[in-house]
């Protein structure tokens, strides 16, 4: 595809055609599981890297599934007669899902990619041709108005989102509609916005082809399409967070200076949340010379909101510039033009005194507390997705700790969280370990050092005894003054609760 206007899209007001097409796709096992069985793991994984040769080799036959893979995933013209055995060709041609390609062949007008829902649902994500996954193929070298499909960022956001039933959800910058599709499973009403009208059209196609309810689709930037009196129980956004000189590519560049787009998004979300509601974003933020990056992010949090911000990765400015120049395919063109663009990125960072760029997750929760909790941390280690329940549990624990002073904490009952293991670290043959580590095998998969009292306390927490009673027993065992032990241990208990090693049992 050249830098020309993207091709026309299928009609979004023909739900009966989308339903017939969906039935045909499912009937041919054009699903995530069906693709894995047909292609095999290596070719299936290669598709996610925008590499099509292995899948082309695996679809040389003429089964219905091979026909659909060549048509919708590999964007190959297929003989009309073969497609007619699988799909309602006349209806698909008339409504724009297919187009004639020569005398006796048809071709797809959009990429249609099977996508497995969290409950085993068979969904389909629609995107522009050749734009199912960004990055490897230099997607940005195409027209700036194209709409991408499923990528790592969109699946990450879907995985960390809290999935409790809600009345109203808002997907800002919906793109191909992935977050709106997830939200439709647990929200009575879903509103999806995008500055690109083509993205709203494709979102409607994604929802219809996936058998999901239609969303309220609105054109505009950030919160502009949202009325002043509208609030939501859930707000999600995988925004165009890339920090770049200018707004060359709509799908990734925010068009504001530095990290202002992400800051604005977070700061404005507070007024749009209902009490207890969550706002969850992916974001980039600048690491500025002479400034603590954690303080920078704390300043973004709106009043009346708890926040949990996790930095997952940091890149220096050269790594960051190279990543996104390659994403746009600029490295494949004129070397002099590439060097000029690279220079422009570094000039921008130098002018702003930016030494690195962080990437991570931002979660807000609307609270009526006078003492909001703001946690900003770095956690680059592997986690277990989905994390929605882990995120919700974090804020539940925040509420518990906020409501309990030290005396109330010692009167409370706790239990050890599931799948926590204890590791003792020390020299071989030593009588006592140098230190003890508690390690989670679920959720965030944290590890934390504890002293012998902390290890003993966590080990006997089963909800039956209060924290104070357990400490009294430990004091008797180790010959320590129980009053002193009660005085110095609450801080350690709070940390173990905050990080999810201990859970309130009451």
């Amino acid at each position: 595809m050249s830098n020309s206007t993207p091709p026309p899209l299928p009609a979004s007001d023909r739900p009966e055609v989308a339903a017939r097409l969906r039935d045909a796709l499912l009937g041919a096992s054009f699903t995530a599981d069906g693709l894995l069985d047909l292609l095999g793991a290596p070719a299936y994984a290669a598709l996610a890297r925008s590499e099509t040769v292995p899948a082309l080799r695996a679809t040389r036959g003429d089964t219905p599934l091979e026909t659909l893979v060549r048509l919708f995933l590999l964007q190959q013209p297929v003989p009309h007669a073969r497609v007619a055995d699988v799909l309602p060709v006349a209806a698909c041609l008339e409504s724009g899902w297919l187009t004639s390609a020569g005398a006796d062949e048809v071709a797809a007008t959009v990429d249609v990619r099977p996508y497995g829902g969290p409950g085993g649902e068979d969904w389909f994500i629609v995107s522009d041709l050749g734009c199912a996954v960004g990055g490897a193929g230099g997607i940005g070298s195409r027209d700036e108005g194209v709409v991408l499909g499923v990528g790592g960022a969109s699946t990450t956001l879907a995985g960390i989102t809290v999935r409790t039933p809600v009345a109203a959800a808002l997907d800002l910058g919906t793109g191909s509609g992935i977050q709106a599709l997830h939200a439709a499973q647990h929200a009575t009403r879903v509103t999806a916005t995008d500055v690109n009208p083509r993205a709203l059209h494709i979102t409607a196609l994604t929802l219809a082809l996936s058998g999901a309810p239609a969303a309220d689709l609105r054109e505009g930037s950030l919160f502009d399409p949202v009325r002043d009196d509208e609030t939501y129980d859930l707000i999600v956004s995988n925004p165009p967070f890339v920090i770049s000189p200018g707004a060359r590519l709509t799908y990734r560049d925010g068009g504001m200076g530095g990290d202002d787009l992400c800051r604005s998004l977070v700061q404005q979300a507070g007024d749009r949340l209902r009490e207890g509601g969550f706002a969850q974003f992916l974001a980039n933020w600048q690491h500025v010379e002479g400034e603590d990056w954690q303080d920078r992010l704390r300043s973004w949090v709106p009043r009346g909101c708890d926040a949990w911000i996790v930095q997952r990765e940091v890149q220096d400015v050269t790594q960051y510039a190279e990543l996104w120049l390659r994403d746009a395919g600029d490295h494949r063109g004129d070397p002099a033009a590439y060097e000029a663009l690279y220079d422009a990125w570094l000039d921008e960072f130098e002018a702003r005194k930016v030494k690195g760029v962080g990437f991570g997750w931002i979660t807000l929760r609307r609270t009526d507390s006078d003492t909001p909790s703001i946690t900003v941390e770095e956690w680059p280690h592997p986690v277990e997705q989905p994390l929605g329940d882990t995120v919700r549990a974090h804020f539940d624990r925040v509420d518990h700790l906020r409501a309990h002073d030290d005396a109330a904490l010692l009167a409370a009952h706790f239990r050890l969280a599931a799948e926590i293991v204890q590791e003792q670290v020390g020299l071989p043959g030593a009588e006592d370990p140098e230190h003890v580590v508690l390690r989670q095998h679920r959720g965030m998969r944290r590890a934390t050092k504890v002293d012998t009292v902390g290890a003993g306390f966590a080990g006997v927490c089963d909800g039956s005894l209060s924290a104070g009673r357990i400490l009294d027993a430990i004091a008797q065992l180790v010959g320590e003054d129980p009053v002193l032990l009660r005085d110095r241990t609450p801080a350690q208990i709070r940390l173990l609760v905050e990080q999810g090693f201990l859970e309130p049992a009451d």
Side-chain angles (χ1 to χ4, degrees):
M1 190 186 302
S2 65
N3 288 334
S4 59
T5 303
L9 293 169
S12 60
D13 58 353
R14 299 289 301 277
E16 73 286 356
V17 177
R20 290 177 64 191
L21 178 55
R22 172 177 171 78
D23 289 343
L25 297 178
L26 294 176
S29 296
F30 187 69
T31 63
D33 289 340
L35 287 187
L36 184 59
D37 290 342
L38 171 68
L39 302 178
Y44 189 70
L47 272 181
R49 302 190 298 270
S50 297
E51 296 291 349
T52 59
V53 172
L56 285 167
R57 292 172 61 87
T59 55
R60 292 169 172 166
D62 58 359
T63 66
L65 181 53
E66 287 169 296
T67 297
L68 293 176
V69 171
R70 283 188 160 259
L71 188 65
F72 286 117
L73 265 63
L74 305 178
Q75 281 96 56
Q76 300 293 307
V78 179
H80 186 288
R82 279 181 59 185
V83 179
D85 290 336
V86 188
L87 301 179
V89 172
C92 288
L93 284 168
E94 191 268 333
S95 61
W97 288 95
L98 301 176
T99 186
S100 296
D104 60 352
E105 290 185 320
V106 296
T109 58
V110 288
D111 186 297
V112 175
R113 189 144 310 217
Y115 178 74
E121 301 92 347
D122 288 315
W123 293 338
F124 300 97
I125 307 301
V126 180
S127 63
D128 273 309
L129 292 174
C131 296
V133 180
I139 295 300
S141 62
R142 309 168 196 274
D143 185 275
E144 68 169 24
V146 297
V147 179
L148 273 59
V150 181
S154 52
T155 55
T156 294
L157 179 58
I160 68 173
T161 300
V162 176
R163 297 295 176 195
T164 50
V166 295
L170 172 64
D171 176 15
L172 284 180
T174 188
S176 55
I178 299 161
Q179 309 309 324
L181 178 57
H182 278 276
Q185 310 309 303
H186 63 103
T188 303
R189 177 172 59 87
V190 176
T191 301
T193 72
D194 206 290
V195 71
N196 181 3
R198 190 174 181 86
L200 298 176
H201 191 137
I202 283 182
T203 291
L205 298 176
T206 289
L207 294 173
L209 198 57
S210 298
D216 178 4
L217 304 176
R218 304 182 190 179
E219 183 180 346
S221 177
L222 300 182
F223 288 99
D224 288 350
V226 179
R227 295 193 306 272
D228 291 342
D229 61 344
E230 288 182 299
T231 55
Y232 298 87
D233 306 289
L234 175 67
I235 300 172
V236 291
S237 183
N238 176 19
F241 53 66
V242 176
I243 299 171
S244 62
R248 187 161 58 109
L249 303 172
T250 305
Y251 72 85
R252 69 165 206 196
D253 299 327
M256 297 185 185
D259 52 17
D260 283 354
L261 181 136
C262 291
R263 177 185 56 79
S264 297
L265 184 61
V266 174
Q267 290 181 335
Q268 293 175 28
D271 291 337
R272 303 298 184 178
L273 280 177
R274 296 174 181 173
E275 187 65 34
F278 287 92
Q280 299 186 260
F281 315 107
L282 300 186
N284 274 177
W285 44 79
Q286 297 174 149
H287 284 233
V288 179
E289 186 177 340
E291 177 183 278
D292 186 311
W293 68 270
Q294 294 182 326
D295 289 343
R296 182 182 191 85
L297 289 173
R298 286 190 185 94
S299 74
W300 290 8
V301 178
R303 295 183 62 182
C305 286
D306 295 323
W308 183 21
I309 302 173
V310 182
Q311 179 168 275
R312 296 288 289 157
E313 182 182 4
V314 183
Q315 291 185 318
D316 67 50
V317 292
T318 59
Q319 291 174 311
Y320 189 80
E322 290 163 16
L323 169 68
W324 293 109
L325 288 170
R326 289 178 177 274
D327 171 81
D330 293 314
H331 61 303
R332 301 177 187 271
D334 175 31
Y338 172 74
E339 290 176 9
L341 285 169
Y342 200 151
D343 242 351
W345 282 65
L346 297 186
D347 284 345
E348 177 83 2
F349 287 133
E350 185 176 338
R352 294 179 175 276
K353 298 183 178 181
V354 175
K355 58 184 180 178
V357 178
F359 167 80
W361 319 324
I362 298 177
T363 299
L364 307 176
R365 185 190 61 167
R366 189 76 189 176
T367 179
D368 60 0
S369 172
D370 294 331
T371 56
S373 165
I374 301 176
T375 300
V376 184
E377 62 175 320
E378 185 166 19
W379 189 252
H381 310 294
V383 299
E384 182 190 47
Q385 284 275 36
L387 278 169
D389 288 345
T390 299
V391 172
R392 185 181 64 215
H394 167 88
F395 289 95
D396 289 344
R397 295 192 301 271
V398 163
D399 285 341
H400 187 276
L401 292 174
R402 190 158 46 201
H404 288 70
D405 60 16
D406 284 357
L409 193 73
L410 292 174
H413 295 236
F414 300 95
R415 64 169 64 92
L416 192 65
E419 297 194 38
I420 303 291
V421 297
Q422 177 179 303
E423 300 173 0
Q424 297 189 7
V425 181
L427 294 173
E431 184 174 345
D432 295 314
E434 292 180 15
H435 59 263
V436 178
V437 174
L438 299 180
R439 189 178 301 277
Q440 300 169 348
H441 280 231
R442 304 295 301 273
M444 293 292 287
R445 293 178 173 168
R446 297 185 187 277
T448 188
K449 288 183 183 180
V450 291
D451 60 19
T452 53
V453 172
F457 181 87
V460 297
C461 276
D462 61 3
S464 60
L465 295 175
S466 69
R469 290 283 300 278
I470 293 173
L471 290 179
D472 290 344
I474 291 175
Q476 188 172 2
L477 283 173
V478 300
E480 188 167 340
D481 185 330
V483 175
L484 294 178
L485 191 61
R486 279 174 171 255
D487 282 346
R488 70 176 176 85
T489 307
Q492 189 171 189
I493 296 174
R494 286 185 183 279
L495 181 63
L496 291 175
V497 173
E498 180 183 327
Q499 295 190 343
F501 291 93
L502 296 177
E503 298 172 344
D506 49 357

